[in-house]
Amino acid sequence: MPNSRYQYLENIATADAAFEAYGATMEELFANAALAMFNVIAPLNKIGVESVRDVTVAADSYDELLHNWLAELVYLKDVHGELYSQFKVRIETRDVIQLAAEIHGDTIDSVREYTQTDVKAVTYHRLAIERRENGLVATVVLDL
């Protein structure tokens, strides 16, 4: 596993973006997946932390939870016109797997000059979380 939070994958899906995110824990993995997704839109170091939002999602599996988490972030981006660059994630397992997060970001207008593309949706194509020798790996394909 590379010594980084995420890595973009080439030749996975034409006209889309794909990445692997890494983490020692599920919380770290989900935060790094969100970082990878927003870095597709604009460089993370250009996104401020002026707004704070709370996010909750739930699912029956970690794969579904990852999809729901990233899809909720795309929804918040579109509804509030914001991009996010910091994620404090907590995951608890009860009857379902629940994720609660505090996310920090800024308006798209404040970083518009740095935006590279837009993420329309998170796909199920090749979506997976697997445990490898050095930690957890999530594979995600984004519809641009």
Side-chain angles (χ1 to χ4, degrees), residues 93-106:
T93 302
R94 296 185 179 157
D95 293 340
V96 295
I97 307 168
Q98 297 179 324
L99 178 150
E102 181 180 285
I103 64 173
H104 299 254
D106 206 349

Side-chain angles (χ1 to χ4, degrees), residues 11-86:
N11 302 320
I12 296 291
T14 306
D16 290 334
F19 63 85
E20 285 184 339
Y22 310 105
T25 64
M26 282 293 176
E27 288 83 357
E28 185 178 62
L29 180 71
F30 278 59
N32 289 340
L35 289 170
M37 183 173 75
F38 281 101
N39 193 54
V40 167
I41 301 169
L44 294 172
N45 64 351
K46 302 298 182 189
I47 302 171
V49 290
E50 300 300 318
S51 67
V52 179
R53 296 193 182 279
D54 293 321
V55 178
T56 57
V57 292
D60 293 326
S61 72
Y62 285 108
D63 291 351
E64 186 72 27
L65 188 69
L66 178 62
H67 179 273
N68 293 352
W69 159 241
L70 295 175
E72 181 69 12
L73 294 174
V74 169
Y75 168 78
L76 293 171
K77 167 190 69 74
D78 291 341
V79 168
H80 298 291
E82 296 173 337
L83 300 177
Y84 307 100
S85 61
Q86 292 183 9

